[in-house]
């Protein structure tokens, strides 16, 4: 069996309501085969059982779709194998509508006594039922992989869960944390059971679980896929962050996007060509393979416009295979993020998203880790955005990093010990209109006498929460870009004082008075008063620490002075970054990969950017043209003999100096690739 991860994959949803009378009646398998060949895919995925709970083969365990008159799964598998394409089969382990309807005892029942979105409980009889069907379908068909889709169960009060919690001594009414952990462990146990069922029958096929956090499923999966349709609920921030996170597990990763404008199941939603193209080239720039999602029409109707869009996108991608396959992203910087935020089980990604956005705009090359991971290698610079309280793994990483002379940029509560009593992820929105509701008077973090910065290299003493609300920023020994207009700190920070040999890079300016409840007096117009002796940025020999959540504040407000201050810290700590392009527009994204065995570094440049055209949806419709963009790339040990664009192979004159090679990119629209070769 070929266990190579999918390189180009088509994933077909087929979640079909039970009232289609002619299901499967128009499937043209010859035309489907021609379409797949035109796309040059090596893998397709199709449900053996859909989210509605219906199976598309003659099962003796599950529920065959009512109007299906032949073995649709078998015909699609035969079609794929006839042209040398592999087929993974899909099912959802949480959403199981028919089972939910037929078996009320399988239903998740939440503490508010509601039933949860047609989802079945991991501790119910649904789990052995699905395991049995997995074993059945894998015994009947020579499939190439199994794709299981589900997430953590919410806390459940079905009879099975109540019985197990009673036996474990969990008082769910008074111990919600234990109840949540029980639901999480139950979900992992279900994954264990289904993995065992797969390997019992097919020990050597591809296996992937979608939805469960990556660090929990890494030991099960042969490869990873990151699901992200940016015009749907994910948005364009997600791929930017997670593409740099999921690549750090030593597994091949696919960027799973879709042709839908509005998300999965949007049959009539066809994204603009440039929008889908942006997704796949963004993924390729970050070392990812590509999955494009679609949905077969229940009858089997094939839409020419859909096939044209998908095939054209794959053709453009395959044209640069020579420079994207087996290319490893390079990075100077590691960004560390709370695991619970990455897992979507708690906290906020504001700081991580703000940091990611800043670094991309600054053309920095970086990886993302959770605070539970061990860094794979040494980085020149680590960034701890806003709320990285010390965990054992984080403390180990920081201790090693500092011992090797590494530098750190941190902000707000990052670097503090783990004894904080409240949640620093509840931000203060100082100037948000909240008519009739008043405003928040208390800080979002409570600091106690036991709270401190763990490492002396922070060279700072914690005094408590800053008394000023709002506060403003003015230059100290740094921050000349602030000018003479005190910049507003839109999120409240900490009260710090200097220690050791650190310097006050930026100072706080106090307001004339603190904000107050709008019911008492209209408070919006609060001017700055005079500078204080309280630092807003402490700069030491190895650590630069912002007293306020600079990254979350940037994600919230987009205020450019915050980015300018972070840039100044980066330039002091990392003067020789991988890429320099000072005249490039901020929206241009640059990513560096390497094919070491071929003596190449590859620079990906993407100029298109999403425009917010509705309250919740961003759209890419047109290519942005870029002319005469000068770039300097650090060469390290690479002895450059040629630079050219791909796939055109158009040569670019270059000049080496000071460890960099400088060249000017020819004019391009949308995206381009520069290949730097020995």
């Amino acid at each position: 069996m070929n266990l190579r991860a999918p390189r180009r994959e088509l994933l077909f949803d087929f979640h079909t309501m039970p009232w289609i009378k002619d299901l499967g009646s128009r499937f043209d398998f010859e035309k489907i085969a021609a379409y797949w060949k035109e796309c040059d895919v090596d893998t397709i995925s199709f449900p053996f059982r859909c989210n509605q709970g219906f199976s598309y083969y003659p099962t003796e365990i599950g529920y065959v779709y009512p109007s299906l008159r032949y073995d649709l799964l078998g015909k699609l598998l035969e079609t794929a194998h006839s042209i040398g394409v592999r087929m993974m089969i899909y099912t959802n382990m949480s959403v199981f509508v028919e089972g939910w309807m037929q078996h009320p005892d399988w239903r998740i029942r939440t503490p508010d006594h509601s039933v949860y979105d047609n989802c079945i409980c991991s501790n119910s009889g649904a789990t052995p039922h699905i395991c049995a069907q997995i074993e059945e379908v894998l015994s009947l068909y020579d499939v190439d992989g199994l794709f299981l889709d589900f997430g953590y169960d919410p806390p459940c009060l079905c009879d099975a869960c109540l019985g197990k919690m009673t036996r474990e001594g969990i008082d769910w009414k008074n111990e919600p944390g234990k109840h949540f952990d029980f639901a999480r462990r139950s979900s992992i146990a279900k994954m264990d059971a289904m993995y065992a069922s797969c390997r019992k029958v097919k020990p050597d096929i591809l296996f992937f679980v979608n939805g469960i956090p990556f660090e929990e499923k890494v030991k099960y999966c042969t490869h990873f896929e990151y699901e992200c349709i940016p015009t749907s609920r994910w948005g364009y921030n997600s791929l930017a962050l997670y593409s740099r996170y999921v690549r750090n597990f030593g597994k091949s990763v696919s960027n799973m996007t879709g042709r839908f404008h509005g998300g999965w199941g949007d049959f009539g939603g066809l994204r603009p060509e440039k929008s889908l193209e942006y997704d796949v080239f963004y993924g390729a720039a970050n070392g990812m393979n590509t999955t494009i999602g679609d949905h077969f029409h229940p009858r089997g109707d094939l839409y020419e416009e859909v096939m044209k869009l998908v095939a054209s996108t794959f053709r453009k991608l395959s044209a640069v295979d020579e420079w994207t396959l087996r290319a490893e992203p390079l990075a100077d910087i590691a960004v560390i993020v709370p695991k619970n935020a990455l897992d979507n089980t708690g906290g906020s990604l504001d700081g991580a998203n703000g940091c990611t956005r800043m670094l991309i705009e600054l053309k920095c090359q970086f990886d993302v880790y959770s605070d539970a991971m061990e860094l794979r290698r040494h980085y020149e610079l680590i960034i701890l955005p806003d709320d990285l309280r010390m965990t054992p793994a984080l403390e180990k990483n920081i201790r090693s990093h500092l011992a090797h002379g590494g530098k750190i940029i941190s902000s707000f509560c990052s670097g503090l010990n783990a004894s904080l009593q409240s949640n620093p992820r509840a931000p203060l929105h100082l100037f948000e209109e909240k008519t009739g509701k008043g405003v928040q008077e208390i800080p979002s973090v409570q600091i106690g006498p036991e709270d401190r910065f763990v490492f002396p290299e922070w060279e700072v003493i914690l005094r408590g929460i800053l008394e000023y609300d709002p506060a403003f920023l003015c230059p100290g020994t740094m921050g000349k870009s602030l000018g003479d207009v005190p910049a507003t700190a839109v999120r409240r920070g900490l009260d710090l004082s200097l220690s050791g040999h650190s310097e006050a890079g930026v100072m706080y300016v106090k307001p004339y008075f603190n904000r107050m409840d709008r019911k008492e007096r209209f408070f919006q117009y609060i001017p700055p008063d005079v500078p204080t002796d309280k630092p807003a940025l402490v700069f030491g020999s190895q650590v630069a620490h912002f007293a306020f959540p600079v990254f979350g504040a940037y994600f919230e407000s987009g205020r450019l002075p915050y980015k300018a201050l972070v840039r100044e810290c980066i330039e002091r700590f990392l003067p020789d970054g991988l890429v320099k392009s000072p005249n490039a527009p901020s929206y241009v994204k640059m990513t560096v990969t390497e094919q070491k065995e071929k003596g190449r570094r590859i620079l990906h440049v993407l100029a298109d950017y999403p425009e917010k055209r509705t309250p919740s949806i961003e759209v890419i419709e047109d290519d942005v043209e870029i002319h005469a963009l000068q770039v300097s790339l650090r060469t390290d040990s690479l002895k450059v003999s040629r630079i050219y664009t791909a796939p055109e192979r158009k040569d670019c004159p270059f000049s080496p100096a000071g460890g960099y090679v400088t060249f000017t990119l020819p004019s391009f629209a949308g995206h381009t690739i520069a290949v730097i070769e020995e």
Side-chain angles (χ1 to χ4, degrees):
M1 185 65 66
N2 182 2
L3 282 178
R4 180 176 55 80
R7 174 173 51 94
R8 281 191 286 275
E9 176 184 354
L10 270 170
L11 185 153
F12 290 97
D13 269 359
F14 201 64
H15 306 304
T16 312
M17 299 289 274
W19 309 297
I20 306 293
K21 300 301 183 184
D22 54 353
L23 185 127
S25 61
R26 295 185 187 173
F27 271 79
D28 184 336
F29 297 100
E30 288 187 5
K31 191 170 183 179
I32 289 170
Y35 170 45
W36 292 349
K37 287 182 71 174
E38 186 181 7
C39 291
D40 190 27
V41 294
D42 58 16
T43 307
I44 66 116
S45 292
F46 182 81
F48 71 87
R49 192 207 68 186
C50 72
N51 290 3
Q52 289 295 317
F54 296 116
S55 299
Y56 300 97
Y57 71 100
T59 175
E60 296 183 1
I61 295 172
Y63 307 95
V64 179
Y65 191 86
S67 68
L68 184 62
R69 298 293 177 258
Y70 64 96
D71 183 356
L72 178 56
L73 181 71
K75 286 292 293 182
L76 287 169
L77 178 62
E78 178 186 336
T79 301
H81 284 180
S82 72
I83 58 172
V85 171
R86 300 177 300 176
M87 182 167 167
M88 294 184 69
I89 56 174
Y90 167 99
T91 195
N92 196 306
M93 303 191 297
S94 293
V95 182
F96 183 4
V97 179
E98 193 65 17
W100 184 91
M101 295 180 71
Q102 299 285 347
H103 298 272
D105 57 315
W106 290 3
R107 301 175 183 179
I108 287 176
R109 297 187 179 276
T110 55
D112 63 358
H113 304 291
S114 64
V115 289
Y116 186 75
D117 197 23
N118 294 139
C119 288
I120 43 91
C121 177
S122 295
N123 290 314
S124 73
T127 295
H129 173 92
I130 299 173
C131 286
Q133 193 170 2
I134 287 172
E135 293 179 24
E136 176 193 54
V137 71
L138 294 182
S139 298
L140 290 173
Y141 299 96
D142 186 24
V143 299
D144 302 280
L146 180 63
F147 183 133
L148 301 178
D149 200 1
F150 81 121
Y152 285 153
D153 287 3
C156 175
L157 294 178
C158 72
D159 288 345
C161 285
L162 287 173
K164 284 192 172 186
M165 285 192 289
T166 297
R167 290 191 291 274
E168 290 188 22
I170 296 173
D171 178 4
W172 64 269
K173 291 182 179 179
N174 298 304
E175 297 177 313
K178 289 185 178 180
H179 194 183
F180 175 85
D181 182 65
F182 172 81
R184 184 194 64 81
R185 288 187 286 109
S186 299
S187 303
I188 297 295
K190 177 167 64 175
M191 181 167 59
D192 278 333
M194 294 185 184
Y195 179 79
S197 289
C198 173
R199 292 310 183 207
K200 176 182 175 182
V201 182
K202 289 278 199 297
D204 57 353
I205 62 172
L206 295 169
F207 185 89
F208 172 65
V209 175
N210 192 41
I212 290 292
F214 289 96
E215 291 171 53
E216 272 61 54
K217 66 190 178 190
V218 64
K219 68 179 181 180
Y220 302 93
C221 296
T222 53
H223 65 287
F224 280 159
E225 302 208 20
Y226 178 65
E227 177 186 10
C228 177
I229 300 179
T231 50
S232 183
R233 66 180 185 269
W234 290 270
Y236 278 92
N237 295 305
S238 294
L239 185 59
L241 174 65
Y242 282 89
S243 62
R244 292 167 168 86
Y245 167 58
V246 295
R247 69 193 188 195
N248 292 310
F249 294 93
K251 292 186 181 292
S252 178
V253 182
S254 285
N255 169 28
M256 186 202 306
T257 185
R259 63 88 168 171
F260 309 106
H261 180 79
W264 299 105
D266 181 15
F267 279 95
L270 193 60
R271 291 173 64 189
E273 176 187 6
K274 300 306 177 185
S275 176
L276 186 58
E277 196 173 311
Y278 176 92
D279 286 6
V280 301
F281 276 92
Y282 196 108
N286 283 280
M288 304 174 86
N289 298 318
T290 302
T291 297
I292 296 179
D294 195 0
H295 198 303
F296 270 127
H297 189 284
R299 283 192 305 260
D301 298 1
L302 295 173
Y303 297 109
E304 293 295 335
E305 285 301 311
V306 172
M307 293 191 293
K308 179 181 176 182
L309 171 67
V310 174
S312 171
T313 302
F314 272 131
R315 278 197 305 272
K316 291 174 183 176
L317 192 62
S318 63
V320 296
D321 276 353
E322 180 181 344
W323 304 279
T324 58
L325 298 182
R326 292 174 293 282
E328 296 293 325
L330 300 182
D332 299 308
I333 300 170
V335 177
I336 304 181
V337 179
K339 182 178 183 298
N340 65 343
L342 286 166
D343 292 351
N344 197 30
T345 58
S348 167
L349 283 175
D350 280 10
N353 282 324
C355 181
T356 297
R357 183 174 289 179
M358 266 193 203
L359 295 182
I360 290 171
E361 291 169 1
L362 294 172
K363 316 301 182 268
C364 296
Q365 306 301 301
F366 62 102
D367 288 326
V368 173
Y369 291 82
S370 85
D371 57 358
M373 294 172 67
E374 184 173 345
L375 299 186
R376 295 198 300 167
R377 61 177 182 81
H378 176 71
Y379 293 83
E380 294 300 314
L381 176 63
I382 287 176
I383 298 181
L384 309 177
D386 293 0
D387 51 10
L388 259 293
R389 293 166 288 176
M390 285 295 169
T391 63
L394 179 59
E395 190 167 342
K396 179 181 177 182
N397 284 327
I398 297 303
R399 179 171 285 108
S400 173
H401 180 74
L402 291 171
H404 287 86
K407 305 298 194 294
I408 293 171
I409 297 173
S410 63
S411 57
F412 197 37
C413 293
S414 293
L416 289 175
N417 57 344
S419 64
L420 284 172
Q421 299 301 309
S422 63
N423 181 11
R425 301 176 178 89
L428 288 177
H429 300 276
L430 298 188
F431 297 118
E432 185 175 342
E433 295 285 343
K434 295 186 181 295
T435 305
K437 297 182 180 179
V439 295
Q440 210 171 346
E441 289 283 358
I442 59 172
S444 56
V445 178
Q446 296 174 2
I447 298 296
E450 74 284 1
D451 295 315
R452 59 182 175 79
F453 288 95
V454 172
F455 290 95
E457 286 84 355
W458 257 250
E459 298 187 85
V460 66
I461 297 171
L462 174 64
R463 301 296 185 190
I465 294 291
L466 187 69
E467 63 185 283
Y468 308 126
D469 180 17
F472 301 87
L473 311 173
C474 70
T477 61
M478 301 168 62
K480 304 307 179 189
S481 61
L482 294 174
D484 63 354
V485 178
T488 306
V490 299
R491 293 192 178 185
R492 198 169 188 173
L494 301 178
D495 185 356
L496 306 176
S497 60
L498 304 181
S499 172
H501 300 287
S502 60
E503 58 187 75
V506 173
M507 305 302 298
Y508 274 124
V509 175
K510 71 177 184 177
Y512 268 85
F513 43 83
N514 276 7
R515 62 183 179 154
M516 61 194 71
D517 195 314
R518 290 177 68 96
K519 293 178 181 179
E520 180 181 343
R521 197 172 193 90
F522 192 77
F523 72 90
Q524 184 167 339
Y525 302 96
I526 303 178
D529 188 4
V530 294
T532 71
D533 61 354
K534 299 180 184 298
L537 168 60
V538 177
F539 199 93
S541 58
Q542 284 188 269
V543 178
H545 186 80
F546 288 87
F548 67 102
V550 62
F551 298 105
Y554 187 69
F555 185 67
E556 174 191 348
S557 69
R559 294 175 186 244
L560 298 185
Y562 303 157
K563 182 170 66 173
L565 292 174
V566 171
R567 179 204 293 267
E568 193 171 351
C569 293
I570 292 173
E571 289 175 346
R572 282 199 180 194
F573 279 157
L574 186 64
D576 301 320
L578 268 164
V579 180
K580 295 182 178 182
S581 186
N583 296 324
S586 62
Y587 57 80
V588 169
K589 291 156 281 290
M590 294 185 176
T591 308
V592 183
T593 62
E594 182 176 61
Q595 292 173 322
K596 200 164 189 176
E597 72 284 357
K598 295 182 179 180
R600 285 179 183 157
R601 284 189 172 175
I602 302 101
L603 175 70
H604 296 260
V605 185
L606 286 89
D608 291 347
Y609 59 92
E611 178 186 359
K612 195 167 185 179
R613 296 188 178 180
T614 80
S616 60
I617 295 177
E618 296 170 298
V619 175
I620 296 174
E621 183 177 3
D622 307 302
D623 274 338
V624 175
E625 292 187 2
I626 299 293
H627 302 281
L629 185 62
Q630 189 177 86
V631 180
S632 296
L633 182 76
R634 199 179 71 217
T635 54
D636 296 325
S637 60
L638 195 71
K639 294 177 173 54
V640 180
S641 64
R642 184 188 180 197
I643 298 179
Y644 59 91
T645 61
E648 304 86 359
R649 297 183 187 272
K650 182 177 181 179
D651 285 314
C652 301
F654 63 91
S655 57
Y660 286 82
V661 61
T662 298
F663 55 96
T664 299
L665 287 167
S667 297
F668 67 93
H671 55 85
T672 190
I673 295 174
V675 183
I676 298 90
E677 281 187 344
E678 288 189 321

